[in-house]
mmCIF file of all heavy atoms in Angstrom:
data_model
loop_
_atom_site.group_PDB
_atom_site.id
_atom_site.type_symbol
_atom_site.label_atom_id
_atom_site.label_comp_id
_atom_site.label_asym_id
_atom_site.label_seq_id
_atom_site.Cartn_x
_atom_site.Cartn_y
_atom_site.Cartn_z
ATOM 1 N N GLY A 33 0.807 -1.247 -0.012
ATOM 2 C CA GLY A 33 0.001 0.004 -0.012
ATOM 3 C C GLY A 33 0.865 1.255 0.020
ATOM 4 O O GLY A 33 1.819 1.363 -0.721
ATOM 5 N N ARG A 34 0.498 2.208 0.859
ATOM 6 C CA ARG A 34 1.108 3.486 0.925
ATOM 7 C C ARG A 34 1.816 3.698 2.286
ATOM 8 O O ARG A 34 1.220 3.477 3.296
ATOM 9 C CB ARG A 34 0.102 4.592 0.726
ATOM 10 C CG ARG A 34 -0.620 4.543 -0.580
ATOM 11 C CD ARG A 34 -1.782 5.567 -0.617
ATOM 12 N NE ARG A 34 -1.383 6.911 -0.344
ATOM 13 C CZ ARG A 34 -0.927 7.837 -1.256
ATOM 14 N NH1 ARG A 34 -0.852 7.426 -2.503
ATOM 15 N NH2 ARG A 34 -0.580 9.028 -0.885
ATOM 16 N N LEU A 35 3.102 4.102 2.243
ATOM 17 C CA LEU A 35 3.797 4.454 3.462
ATOM 18 C C LEU A 35 3.893 5.957 3.515
ATOM 19 O O LEU A 35 4.742 6.575 2.807
ATOM 20 C CB LEU A 35 5.187 3.838 3.465
ATOM 21 C CG LEU A 35 6.100 4.068 4.693
ATOM 22 C CD1 LEU A 35 5.398 3.719 5.974
ATOM 23 C CD2 LEU A 35 7.402 3.226 4.567
ATOM 24 N N ASP A 36 3.016 6.597 4.284
ATOM 25 C CA ASP A 36 2.912 8.050 4.275
ATOM 26 C C ASP A 36 2.722 8.549 5.710
ATOM 27 O O ASP A 36 2.905 7.825 6.663
ATOM 28 C CB ASP A 36 1.766 8.485 3.292
ATOM 29 C CG ASP A 36 0.444 7.830 3.687
ATOM 30 O OD1 ASP A 36 0.202 7.423 4.874
ATOM 31 O OD2 ASP A 36 -0.442 7.807 2.783
ATOM 32 N N THR A 37 2.275 9.811 5.816
ATOM 33 C CA THR A 37 2.158 10.410 7.129
ATOM 34 C C THR A 37 1.191 9.691 7.956
ATOM 35 O O THR A 37 1.353 9.538 9.208
ATOM 36 C CB THR A 37 1.639 11.883 6.959
ATOM 37 O OG1 THR A 37 2.581 12.549 6.135
ATOM 38 C CG2 THR A 37 1.556 12.563 8.266
ATOM 39 N N ILE A 38 0.103 9.130 7.414
ATOM 40 C CA ILE A 38 -0.893 8.374 8.169
ATOM 41 C C ILE A 38 -0.448 7.016 8.559
ATOM 42 O O ILE A 38 -0.671 6.615 9.694
ATOM 43 C CB ILE A 38 -2.197 8.330 7.327
ATOM 44 C CG1 ILE A 38 -2.782 9.697 7.095
ATOM 45 C CG2 ILE A 38 -3.224 7.403 7.980
ATOM 46 C CD1 ILE A 38 -3.858 9.815 6.107
ATOM 47 N N THR A 39 0.281 6.327 7.704
ATOM 48 C CA THR A 39 0.649 4.963 8.008
ATOM 49 C C THR A 39 2.076 4.762 8.530
ATOM 50 O O THR A 39 2.298 3.691 9.056
ATOM 51 C CB THR A 39 0.558 4.075 6.698
ATOM 52 O OG1 THR A 39 1.382 4.639 5.692
ATOM 53 C CG2 THR A 39 -0.930 4.073 6.166
ATOM 54 N N SER A 40 2.905 5.773 8.488
ATOM 55 C CA SER A 40 4.244 5.577 8.982
ATOM 56 C C SER A 40 4.331 5.286 10.478
ATOM 57 O O SER A 40 5.201 4.525 10.893
ATOM 58 C CB SER A 40 5.147 6.783 8.573
ATOM 59 O OG SER A 40 4.720 7.953 9.141
ATOM 60 N N PRO A 41 3.423 5.829 11.283
ATOM 61 C CA PRO A 41 3.521 5.439 12.692
ATOM 62 C C PRO A 41 3.299 3.952 12.904
ATOM 63 O O PRO A 41 3.859 3.357 13.850
ATOM 64 C CB PRO A 41 2.406 6.290 13.370
ATOM 65 C CG PRO A 41 2.284 7.443 12.456
ATOM 66 C CD PRO A 41 2.506 6.907 11.106
ATOM 67 N N GLU A 42 2.488 3.320 12.074
ATOM 68 C CA GLU A 42 2.214 1.905 12.187
ATOM 69 C C GLU A 42 3.513 1.097 11.931
ATOM 70 O O GLU A 42 3.793 0.151 12.660
ATOM 71 C CB GLU A 42 1.173 1.502 11.172
ATOM 72 C CG GLU A 42 0.788 0.045 11.208
ATOM 73 C CD GLU A 42 -0.223 -0.342 10.124
ATOM 74 O OE1 GLU A 42 -0.784 0.531 9.481
ATOM 75 O OE2 GLU A 42 -0.454 -1.606 9.976
ATOM 76 N N LEU A 43 4.281 1.531 10.918
ATOM 77 C CA LEU A 43 5.551 0.844 10.608
ATOM 78 C C LEU A 43 6.534 1.141 11.790
ATOM 79 O O LEU A 43 7.245 0.183 12.200
ATOM 80 C CB LEU A 43 6.103 1.262 9.299
ATOM 81 C CG LEU A 43 7.474 0.631 8.960
ATOM 82 C CD1 LEU A 43 7.417 -0.868 8.955
ATOM 83 C CD2 LEU A 43 7.960 1.225 7.623
ATOM 84 N N SER A 44 6.589 2.307 12.264
ATOM 85 C CA SER A 44 7.468 2.630 13.366
ATOM 86 C C SER A 44 7.149 1.808 14.625
ATOM 87 O O SER A 44 8.102 1.255 15.235
ATOM 88 C CB SER A 44 7.324 4.101 13.724
ATOM 89 O OG SER A 44 8.220 4.444 14.713
ATOM 90 N N GLU A 45 5.908 1.646 14.915
ATOM 91 C CA GLU A 45 5.476 0.796 16.071
ATOM 92 C C GLU A 45 5.886 -0.623 15.833
ATOM 93 O O GLU A 45 6.372 -1.342 16.748
ATOM 94 C CB GLU A 45 3.993 0.972 16.362
ATOM 95 C CG GLU A 45 3.607 2.345 16.874
ATOM 96 C CD GLU A 45 2.111 2.510 16.920
ATOM 97 O OE1 GLU A 45 1.357 1.476 16.822
ATOM 98 O OE2 GLU A 45 1.677 3.649 17.103
ATOM 99 N N ALA A 46 5.663 -1.106 14.608
ATOM 100 C CA ALA A 46 5.953 -2.512 14.300
ATOM 101 C C ALA A 46 7.454 -2.744 14.489
ATOM 102 O O ALA A 46 7.902 -3.766 15.093
ATOM 103 C CB ALA A 46 5.539 -2.884 12.942
ATOM 104 N N LEU A 47 8.305 -1.826 13.962
ATOM 105 C CA LEU A 47 9.763 -1.957 14.120
ATOM 106 C C LEU A 47 10.167 -1.936 15.564
ATOM 107 O O LEU A 47 10.988 -2.721 16.015
ATOM 108 C CB LEU A 47 10.417 -0.891 13.295
ATOM 109 C CG LEU A 47 10.341 -1.046 11.797
ATOM 110 C CD1 LEU A 47 10.729 0.246 11.087
ATOM 111 C CD2 LEU A 47 11.236 -2.201 11.319
ATOM 112 N N ASN A 48 9.660 -0.982 16.304
ATOM 113 C CA ASN A 48 9.989 -0.900 17.731
ATOM 114 C C ASN A 48 9.628 -2.146 18.495
ATOM 115 O O ASN A 48 10.357 -2.562 19.436
ATOM 116 C CB ASN A 48 9.403 0.347 18.402
ATOM 117 C CG ASN A 48 10.012 1.613 17.914
ATOM 118 O OD1 ASN A 48 11.180 1.651 17.569
ATOM 119 N ND2 ASN A 48 9.239 2.694 17.902
ATOM 120 N N ALA A 49 8.506 -2.768 18.188
ATOM 121 C CA ALA A 49 8.082 -3.909 18.889
ATOM 122 C C ALA A 49 8.807 -5.198 18.489
ATOM 123 O O ALA A 49 8.908 -6.095 19.261
ATOM 124 C CB ALA A 49 6.535 -4.101 18.611
ATOM 125 N N GLU A 50 9.310 -5.248 17.251
ATOM 126 C CA GLU A 50 9.831 -6.459 16.700
ATOM 127 C C GLU A 50 11.343 -6.574 16.628
ATOM 128 O O GLU A 50 11.904 -7.638 16.323
ATOM 129 C CB GLU A 50 9.223 -6.734 15.281
ATOM 130 C CG GLU A 50 7.721 -6.592 15.243
ATOM 131 C CD GLU A 50 7.016 -7.924 15.207
ATOM 132 O OE1 GLU A 50 7.659 -8.949 15.052
ATOM 133 O OE2 GLU A 50 5.785 -7.903 15.305
ATOM 134 N N LEU A 51 12.073 -5.473 16.699
ATOM 135 C CA LEU A 51 13.510 -5.472 16.387
ATOM 136 C C LEU A 51 14.462 -6.033 17.459
ATOM 137 O O LEU A 51 15.601 -6.248 17.222
ATOM 138 C CB LEU A 51 13.965 -4.144 15.901
ATOM 139 C CG LEU A 51 13.586 -3.724 14.529
ATOM 140 C CD1 LEU A 51 14.210 -2.393 14.143
ATOM 141 C CD2 LEU A 51 14.035 -4.796 13.515
ATOM 142 N N ASP A 52 13.978 -6.191 18.688
ATOM 143 C CA ASP A 52 14.814 -6.717 19.723
ATOM 144 C C ASP A 52 15.297 -8.117 19.368
ATOM 145 O O ASP A 52 14.474 -8.999 19.026
ATOM 146 C CB ASP A 52 14.085 -6.770 21.097
ATOM 147 C CG ASP A 52 13.906 -5.388 21.721
ATOM 148 O OD1 ASP A 52 14.601 -4.483 21.304
ATOM 149 O OD2 ASP A 52 13.038 -5.267 22.583
ATOM 150 N N GLY A 53 16.588 -8.308 19.358
ATOM 151 C CA GLY A 53 17.177 -9.597 19.025
ATOM 152 C C GLY A 53 17.341 -9.899 17.523
ATOM 153 O O GLY A 53 17.843 -10.927 17.127
ATOM 154 N N VAL A 54 16.850 -8.981 16.690
ATOM 155 C CA VAL A 54 16.933 -9.143 15.251
ATOM 156 C C VAL A 54 18.304 -8.707 14.783
ATOM 157 O O VAL A 54 18.730 -7.593 15.079
ATOM 158 C CB VAL A 54 15.838 -8.355 14.514
ATOM 159 C CG1 VAL A 54 16.025 -8.346 13.032
ATOM 160 C CG2 VAL A 54 14.442 -8.964 14.869
ATOM 161 N N THR A 55 18.996 -9.539 13.957
ATOM 162 C CA THR A 55 20.284 -9.141 13.425
ATOM 163 C C THR A 55 20.198 -8.903 11.922
ATOM 164 O O THR A 55 21.142 -8.344 11.357
ATOM 165 C CB THR A 55 21.371 -10.208 13.703
ATOM 166 O OG1 THR A 55 20.961 -11.443 13.087
ATOM 167 C CG2 THR A 55 21.604 -10.379 15.159
ATOM 168 N N GLU A 56 19.120 -9.343 11.326
ATOM 169 C CA GLU A 56 18.910 -9.055 9.894
ATOM 170 C C GLU A 56 17.448 -8.683 9.641
ATOM 171 O O GLU A 56 16.518 -9.393 9.951
ATOM 172 C CB GLU A 56 19.231 -10.315 9.060
ATOM 173 C CG GLU A 56 19.189 -10.040 7.534
ATOM 174 C CD GLU A 56 19.585 -11.242 6.730
ATOM 175 O OE1 GLU A 56 20.172 -12.163 7.257
ATOM 176 O OE2 GLU A 56 19.293 -11.238 5.540
ATOM 177 N N LEU A 57 17.312 -7.462 9.065
ATOM 178 C CA LEU A 57 15.965 -7.006 8.804
ATOM 179 C C LEU A 57 15.843 -6.854 7.258
ATOM 180 O O LEU A 57 16.693 -6.246 6.617
ATOM 181 C CB LEU A 57 15.737 -5.601 9.412
ATOM 182 C CG LEU A 57 14.444 -4.865 9.016
ATOM 183 C CD1 LEU A 57 13.218 -5.595 9.535
ATOM 184 C CD2 LEU A 57 14.459 -3.395 9.654
ATOM 185 N N LEU A 58 14.756 -7.392 6.717
ATOM 186 C CA LEU A 58 14.457 -7.239 5.324
ATOM 187 C C LEU A 58 13.148 -6.497 5.105
ATOM 188 O O LEU A 58 12.134 -6.959 5.666
ATOM 189 C CB LEU A 58 14.393 -8.569 4.594
ATOM 190 C CG LEU A 58 13.951 -8.566 3.134
ATOM 191 C CD1 LEU A 58 14.939 -7.845 2.255
ATOM 192 C CD2 LEU A 58 13.732 -9.991 2.619
ATOM 193 N N LEU A 59 13.168 -5.320 4.451
ATOM 194 C CA LEU A 59 11.907 -4.629 4.109
ATOM 195 C C LEU A 59 11.569 -5.013 2.705
ATOM 196 O O LEU A 59 12.290 -4.608 1.766
ATOM 197 C CB LEU A 59 12.090 -3.147 4.277
ATOM 198 C CG LEU A 59 12.333 -2.589 5.670
ATOM 199 C CD1 LEU A 59 12.510 -1.066 5.666
ATOM 200 C CD2 LEU A 59 11.313 -2.997 6.697
ATOM 201 N N ASP A 60 10.524 -5.769 2.489
ATOM 202 C CA ASP A 60 10.077 -6.216 1.208
ATOM 203 C C ASP A 60 9.051 -5.191 0.675
ATOM 204 O O ASP A 60 7.953 -5.083 1.225
ATOM 205 C CB ASP A 60 9.522 -7.596 1.230
ATOM 206 C CG ASP A 60 9.184 -8.182 -0.132
ATOM 207 O OD1 ASP A 60 9.024 -7.349 -1.087
ATOM 208 O OD2 ASP A 60 9.074 -9.373 -0.252
ATOM 209 N N MET A 61 9.416 -4.460 -0.358
ATOM 210 C CA MET A 61 8.600 -3.383 -0.877
ATOM 211 C C MET A 61 7.864 -3.717 -2.208
ATOM 212 O O MET A 61 7.426 -2.850 -2.900
ATOM 213 C CB MET A 61 9.358 -2.075 -1.006
ATOM 214 C CG MET A 61 9.923 -1.596 0.249
ATOM 215 S SD MET A 61 10.756 0.004 0.080
ATOM 216 C CE MET A 61 11.075 0.361 1.761
ATOM 217 N N GLU A 62 7.734 -5.024 -2.467
ATOM 218 C CA GLU A 62 7.127 -5.425 -3.712
ATOM 219 C C GLU A 62 5.748 -4.868 -3.908
ATOM 220 O O GLU A 62 5.368 -4.485 -5.040
ATOM 221 C CB GLU A 62 7.137 -6.926 -3.776
ATOM 222 C CG GLU A 62 6.634 -7.460 -5.129
ATOM 223 C CD GLU A 62 6.825 -8.955 -5.285
ATOM 224 O OE1 GLU A 62 7.069 -9.690 -4.334
ATOM 225 O OE2 GLU A 62 6.632 -9.409 -6.402
#
């Protein structure tokens, strides 16, 4: 979909919640 002013906080929250212990992050933008 769209990563914009409205949806970017959702991605930020997901990253903050999920990145502990992660050594490789892949953002798939297909």
Side-chain angles (χ1 to χ4, degrees):
R34 298 172 56 89
L35 181 52
D36 55 23
T37 304
I38 295 168
T39 60
S40 61
E42 180 183 352
L43 178 58
S44 182
E45 289 171 15
L47 288 165
N48 287 334
E50 309 257 352
L51 284 183
D52 286 342
V54 170
T55 60
E56 185 177 345
L57 172 63
L58 174 64
L59 296 180
D60 186 339
M61 298 187 173
E62 186 170 12

